Amino acid sequence: MKLFSIRHSLALAATFFVLGKNPLTVNKKEIMAQMIIKGKEMIRINPTNKTKIEYSTTQGRTWFVRYISSNSGDFNDLTDTGKEILAMTTKGLYYSTTDGRSWFKRN
């Protein structure tokens, strides 16, 4: 069994709380793709507005808007590759090299 860090556990707990879901019955793959940890920040897709990317530097206690626009479509999944963040949206695959501040379509 893989043990999770305290920061990772807090991220999961914050997501479950916001979504109003029971952590025992939630699909972990679905939740994990909604939020990533990059450096000292947690970055997530807003649970009620999928065109909004938010970040937290307080381990999920407070969230701030980093990006909001319908130009990229609704965000569905986030992945950190190290160099960039990839996002699957309703308009295709997008990438950000600015920690989610701006998004560009991957051709």
Side-chain angles (χ1 to χ4, degrees):
M1 175 184 280
K2 184 177 181 181
L3 297 176
F4 296 105
S5 71
I6 291 173
R7 188 165 70 171
H8 184 259
S9 297
L10 288 171
L12 283 175
T15 303
F16 294 143
F17 176 77
V18 169
L19 296 178
K21 294 189 176 188
N22 180 341
L24 299 176
T25 59
V26 74
N27 178 346
K28 281 168 77 174
K29 184 176 180 186
E30 171 188 316
I31 295 301
M32 292 310 298
Q34 301 286 310
M35 181 185 319
I36 59 172
I37 296 174
K38 189 160 182 67
K40 294 183 178 182
E41 290 186 342
M42 296 168 64
I43 300 172
R44 74 173 183 181
I45 301 167
N46 179 284
T48 57
N49 181 349
K50 301 295 184 189
T51 64
K52 189 186 295 186
I53 299 293
E54 299 175 319
Y55 72 98
S56 174
T57 56
T58 60
Q59 298 178 339
R61 289 187 295 275
T62 53
W63 293 93
F64 303 95
V65 175
R66 170 147 296 160
Y67 176 86
I68 184 167
S69 175
S70 58
N71 292 340
S72 308
D74 288 354
F75 287 88
N76 296 316
D77 296 307
L78 296 175
T79 303
D80 180 11
T81 68
K83 265 187 164 178
E84 61 189 8
I85 299 173
L86 297 177
M88 273 308 298
T89 77
T90 53
K91 293 186 176 181
L93 180 63
Y94 281 74
Y95 70 95
S96 173
T97 56
T98 59
D99 294 333
R101 289 175 184 84
S102 56
W103 293 91
F104 303 95
K105 189 162 177 66
R106 172 71 37 94
N107 294 324

